[in-house]
């Protein structure tokens, strides 16, 4: 499985882990990862620790997640590799997401 989810016991933080390539082939799985969860999150974390590649469709999927989460929910992108971090920086995603 390339997309894994983890919800904290209190239901406040949803973590979505992407393994391997994050591209259009992950669209349904990624979208399902946050749409299947009950609402009420304060925070959604996208963990890119094991992500080897990120393309423009993945950037679009992150934007869709942000729209779905709403303004009251913090969306954070964590652990991007140096190559993935460059793509996020070039796309000015640090203005839209907390990246750590």
């Amino acid at each position: 499985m390339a997309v894994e989810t983890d919800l904290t016991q209190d239901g406040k933080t949803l973590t979505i882990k992407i393994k391997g390539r994050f591209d259009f082939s992950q669209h349904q799985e990624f979208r399902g990862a946050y749409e299947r969860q009950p609402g009420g999150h304060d925070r959604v974390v996208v963990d890119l620790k094991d992500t080897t590649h990120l393309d423009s469709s993945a950037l679009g999927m992150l934007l869709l997640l942000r729209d779905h989460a709403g303004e009251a929910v913090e969306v954070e992108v964590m652990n991007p590799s140096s190559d993935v971090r460059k793509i996020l920086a070039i796309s000015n995603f640090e203005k839209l997401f907390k990246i750590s």
Side-chain angles (χ1 to χ4, degrees):
M1 179 181 271
V3 179
E4 297 177 5
T5 59
D6 183 40
L7 187 61
T8 56
Q9 274 191 317
D10 63 6
K12 297 296 182 186
T13 301
L14 172 65
T15 301
I16 303 171
K17 297 177 183 178
I18 311 295
K19 296 185 177 191
R21 295 178 62 85
F22 189 14
D23 56 23
F24 189 73
S25 66
Q26 304 304 324
H27 177 75
Q28 291 293 332
E29 201 171 357
F30 181 75
R31 188 172 182 166
Y34 60 84
E35 287 185 345
R36 285 191 307 262
Q37 301 300 322
H41 312 307
D42 291 335
R43 185 170 174 240
V44 177
V45 174
V46 180
D47 188 347
L48 301 180
K49 178 182 176 188
D50 297 320
T51 304
T52 58
H53 173 78
L54 181 134
D55 69 4
S56 61
S57 62
L59 296 174
M61 287 185 269
L62 289 171
L63 293 173
L64 289 173
L65 166 61
R66 183 174 169 258
D67 289 345
H68 178 82
E71 291 183 20
V73 178
E74 175 188 13
V75 179
E76 180 177 356
V77 177
M78 292 181 66
N79 303 316
S81 68
S82 61
D83 289 341
V84 170
R85 187 177 290 274
K86 285 179 193 173
I87 293 167
L88 294 169
I90 289 169
S91 303
N92 287 319
F93 268 49
E94 68 274 356
K95 294 180 181 178
L96 303 172
F97 299 92
K98 178 178 179 184
I99 301 175
S100 58

